[in-house]
Amino acid sequence: MLAVVGAGVIGLSTAVCIAESIPSCAVTVLAEHFTPDTTSDVAAGILLPHPFPDTFDHLLSICNSTDAAEAGVFLLSGWQVFQETPSTKDPYWSTVVLGFHMMTDAELQRFPKYKFGQSFTTIKCECSKYLLWLEKRLKNAGGQLHTEKITGFEQLTSSYDIIVNCSGLGSRDLADDQSLYPVRGQILRVHAPWLKHFIRDGNGHTYIFPGIHSVTLGGTRQKHNWEMSVDEADSSGIFERCCELEPSLKKSQVCSKLVGLRPTRNSLRLEREFFVHGNRQVPIIHNYGHGGGGISIHWGTALEATQLEMKKKVSKDSTK
Ligand code: FAD
């Protein structure tokens, strides 16, 4: 019996990977909150190019399948623009995304304050749909879902042989990891169905990402800020900056304002250790701390977490 703690994009993708790769393993996801109440639901869900393309390839195959609409995964083209020309014009990820090219003068005309830009097609993964789709995929593989706040791993040691900890920022208490901290992000969702391209300021602070039902405008990156309520000064700042990039947004209507806390540490924690409780020793696989890139790398880290579990099984079997 294996328990996955956490039902954000990391917990559900890890649970699916394990349940599908190791059919003999009974997987239960335990979480205080499920979609639509996780940080993952707040994410813009854009695939930020990454040196490890597992997640891009995985989502691209969903885009190319009949599941794309239900999973909320689709291709999105647009521009990343820079006020100053960056030192690396042709980044390492230019071959991971599709159709990368440096923006022409004609394309840059839309952005008079910007000197340089990159045009490419990436993937948007809308977690409000994607998480439900992962839940369904997990149930099809025999997995179960339970709403429960875990106050300590000892709560799980009598019922489960393995624990997979995907509790995001919850690991600060649960795994007593004081190196984990929030980076607060606020976004607006607006009705602007005429916008079909993403626009991202290369400094990462301002972005416009069209989605299925609304356009996400961002954002903020406030380190060590735990405030979950909407800050109206942040909302006006986001709206003004986005309108500077895309003036037609002045005619858009705000549908919702959301806040999420990115679970951040120096590097994400993906490792196996033992939790000792009384005379019982239970392996824990930690998979948390994905910061501002959890959607972009979730499948890669889910595969890695599954490997940690499978390697252990192989070495245990070989000692029999
Ligand atoms: P979460 O989604 O927070 O899930 C944690 C889960 O653990 C929840 O189910 C929670 O209830 C559960 N949990 C915690 N503690 C306990 C406990 N004690 N007991 C039981 N359950 C517990 N990333 C990208 O790649 N691209 C983007 O465009 C992007 N945009 C973003 C925009 C914003 C505004 C924000 C805030 C984030 C963005 N991110 C983006 C980052 C991304 O959202 C995170 O990296 C990702 O959601 C982390 O997923 P997670 O599953 O680890 O955490």
Side-chain angles (χ1 to χ4, degrees):
M1 299 268 283
L2 178 146
V4 175
V5 182
V9 72
I10 304 304
L12 289 177
S13 56
T14 305
V16 165
C17 261
I18 294 175
E20 291 181 355
S21 314
I22 316 172
S24 58
C25 195
V27 177
T28 302
V29 172
L30 301 146
E32 187 179 7
H33 299 293
F34 283 81
T35 183
D37 299 319
T38 71
T39 309
S40 304
D41 288 280
V42 178
I46 202 80
L47 264 274
L48 304 169
H50 199 269
F52 307 109
D54 296 307
T55 305
F56 197 93
D57 293 347
H58 158 73
L59 291 177
L60 190 58
S61 71
I62 297 173
C63 277
N64 296 341
S65 78
T66 51
D67 277 354
E70 191 184 344
V73 179
F74 53 94
L75 292 172
L76 187 63
S77 301
W79 305 287
Q80 172 155 253
V81 289
F82 296 81
Q83 292 196 341
E84 297 302 327
T85 307
S87 50
T88 315
K89 290 186 187 172
D90 197 3
Y92 67 85
W93 47 264
S94 59
T95 53
V96 176
V97 296
L98 309 178
F100 179 93
H101 66 263
M102 284 169 223
M103 284 170 74
T104 60
D105 289 345
E107 286 175 302
L108 272 171
Q109 266 178 17
R110 286 176 64 90
F111 308 104
K113 289 190 179 158
Y114 292 81
K115 275 192 194 152
F116 176 82
Q118 298 153 337
S119 171
F120 55 92
T121 299
T122 184
I123 296 169
K124 191 168 189 296
C125 171
E126 299 221 333
C127 276
S128 53
K129 282 175 169 276
Y130 185 63
L131 296 184
L132 286 174
W133 182 78
L134 286 176
E135 285 182 6
K136 186 172 152 189
R137 196 164 149 177
L138 177 65
K139 285 183 196 156
N140 287 342
Q144 295 188 28
L145 306 162
H146 287 303
T147 304
E148 186 175 348
K149 181 174 169 109
I150 308 302
T151 49
F153 293 125
E154 63 279 1
Q155 217 173 308
L156 303 172
T157 51
S158 54
S159 309
Y160 297 96
D161 309 305
I162 305 157
I163 300 166
V164 184
N165 173 29
C166 305
S167 59
L169 207 50
S171 287
R172 200 175 147 94
D173 289 334
L174 205 48
D176 192 21
D177 185 345
Q178 301 306 309
S179 69
L180 190 63
Y181 61 93
V183 175
R184 181 178 176 278
Q186 186 169 315
I187 54 153
L188 310 181
R189 293 211 173 119
V190 302
H191 185 66
W194 60 89
L195 290 184
K196 304 293 181 200
H197 287 77
F198 75 81
I199 307 170
R200 182 175 195 265
D201 189 314
N203 68 18
H205 292 303
T206 307
Y207 50 81
I208 299 164
F209 292 128
I212 297 172
H213 299 298
S214 61
V215 179
T216 300
L217 310 186
T220 65
R221 283 177 203 275
Q222 297 149 344
K223 285 186 180 178
H224 303 285
N225 186 333
W226 290 88
E227 187 53 61
M228 281 298 290
S229 54
V230 168
D231 181 310
E232 288 309 336
D234 284 344
S235 298
S236 345
I238 291 168
F239 195 71
E240 276 165 33
R241 280 183 278 127
C242 289
C243 286
E244 267 190 45
L245 266 180
E246 175 54 57
S248 73
L249 279 169
K250 284 187 186 144
K251 298 275 169 73
S252 67
Q253 285 166 341
V254 176
C255 314
S256 57
K257 302 170 184 177
L258 298 167
V259 174
L261 305 179
R262 301 173 180 92
T264 309
R265 67 204 293 280
N266 273 348
S267 58
L268 72 91
R269 186 171 183 203
L270 188 43
E271 64 179 357
R272 193 165 173 275
E273 65 169 12
F274 284 98
F275 180 76
V276 181
H277 181 56
N279 56 3
R280 203 152 148 72
Q281 182 173 272
V282 176
I284 297 194
I285 295 166
H286 294 286
N287 185 9
Y288 67 83
H290 294 65
I295 317 300
S296 306
I297 57 171
H298 72 278
W299 197 253
T301 56
L303 289 172
E304 183 72 31
T306 305
Q307 282 302 315
L308 287 175
E309 170 53 15
M310 288 172 92
K311 268 183 211 151
K312 180 226 69 182
K313 279 183 89 67
V314 169
S315 60
K316 196 172 151 197
D317 292 349
S318 62
T319 57
K320 274 183 188 166

